[in-house]
Amino acid sequence: MTDKHTEETSSMVADKAKQQTANSQPAVKKESFLANLLMNIVIPTLILTKLSTDEYLGATWGLIVALAFPIGYGLRDFAINKKLNVFSALGVVSVLLTGGLSLLKLPPEYFAIKEAAIPGILGVITLVSIKTRYPLVKVFIYNDKVLKIQKVNEALAHYNTQKQFDRTLINASLLIAGSFFLSSILNYVLAKLILVSPAGTAEFNAELGKMTALSYPVIALPMMIIMMGTLFYVFRSIRLLTHLTLEEVINDGSAN
């Protein structure tokens, strides 16, 4: 009877300790796709297209309020995660440049150049990173958040296929850089076609909102297709060079 009571007490203590440990661990903050879409696309577009006329916010305040949402969302993300996301930072810089160019009432040509410059810079950085110890392909695809890197590396060493896989990562980097350069071209063409009114006017704000709304289907979709193709290319190479299945290398949170 005493032993049974002791076992029950020990079990209760262990369960309580587990519960306290679970409660003490910080919850992982996952980015909401819906919030991202609303704050960066939907709300700014509505403000620029519907509230930038003189009867509402006016051209200048309409632009300022619209830009406040993606900037605020980006700063909030930085405050929560306590680390700088290079691509989010570039997004905030792009938004600030858009606001600055608009308030300075510069010709639309400057906006087209700015829209092309950001992804173009990312493409160049991706190419340059191939020659460094930290190629950007490892940020996008080949990292321990997506794959069981240690397990893959051990299999590559076992089958002596590390050099072939290094070539795979170089090819993947070229594909990713190509997606950025494609985005740069599409950004420039889209800006040239849509932004025709003088900056600082309600008409220009409406055109800016239209361009923002079209950027996802026109620009993000082709980039997403290329990125997915690159992902499958890397996975296929891993399967052929390591003889491991996709289920064995995908990082699902279990031990390697």
Side-chain angles (χ1 to χ4, degrees), residues 71-247:
I71 292 173
Y73 187 76
L75 294 176
R76 174 183 174 275
D77 179 68
F78 173 73
I80 291 175
N81 294 314
K82 305 299 182 184
K83 62 180 181 179
L84 180 65
N85 184 312
V86 175
F87 302 100
S88 296
L90 282 173
V92 171
V93 169
S94 177
V95 171
L96 289 173
L97 284 174
T98 298
L101 294 174
S102 299
L103 294 175
L104 290 173
K105 300 182 180 180
L106 296 177
E109 177 69 23
Y110 286 87
F111 291 88
I113 294 173
K114 188 275 297 181
E115 290 295 319
I118 298 296
I121 291 171
L122 287 174
V124 171
I125 292 174
T126 301
L127 290 179
V128 172
S129 74
I130 294 176
K131 299 297 184 180
T132 70
R133 295 174 56 190
Y134 305 101
L136 281 184
V137 68
K138 293 186 177 181
V139 175
F140 292 109
I141 298 172
Y142 192 63
N143 60 73
D144 54 11
K145 292 182 179 179
V146 179
L147 299 168
K148 296 178 180 178
I149 300 298
Q150 183 178 348
K151 191 171 187 176
V152 173
N153 289 339
E154 289 173 354
L156 290 171
H158 176 75
Y159 290 103
N160 195 27
T161 52
Q162 184 64 56
K163 288 185 178 181
Q164 293 95 311
F165 187 66
D166 288 342
R167 171 54 57 182
T168 294
L169 293 182
I170 291 175
N171 292 338
S173 295
L174 294 175
L175 288 171
I176 292 172
S179 73
F180 283 129
F181 291 133
L182 174 63
S183 174
S184 179
I185 295 170
L186 293 176
N187 269 329
Y188 184 83
V189 172
L190 192 64
K192 288 288 289 183
L193 290 175
I194 294 178
L195 301 179
V196 295
S197 299
T201 63
E203 292 77 12
F204 177 83
N205 282 4
E207 292 164 1
L208 193 61
K210 182 180 179 181
M211 187 182 73
T212 302
L214 288 175
S215 65
Y216 262 53
V218 174
I219 297 169
L221 186 59
M223 282 193 67
M224 188 181 300
I225 292 173
I226 294 175
M227 290 293 290
M228 290 300 296
T230 304
L231 189 67
F232 284 119
Y233 166 68
V234 172
F235 284 171
R236 179 178 179 274
S237 180
I238 289 174
R239 181 173 59 82
L240 293 175
L241 297 176
T242 66
H243 303 278
L244 296 171
T245 65
L246 184 61
E247 290 75 15

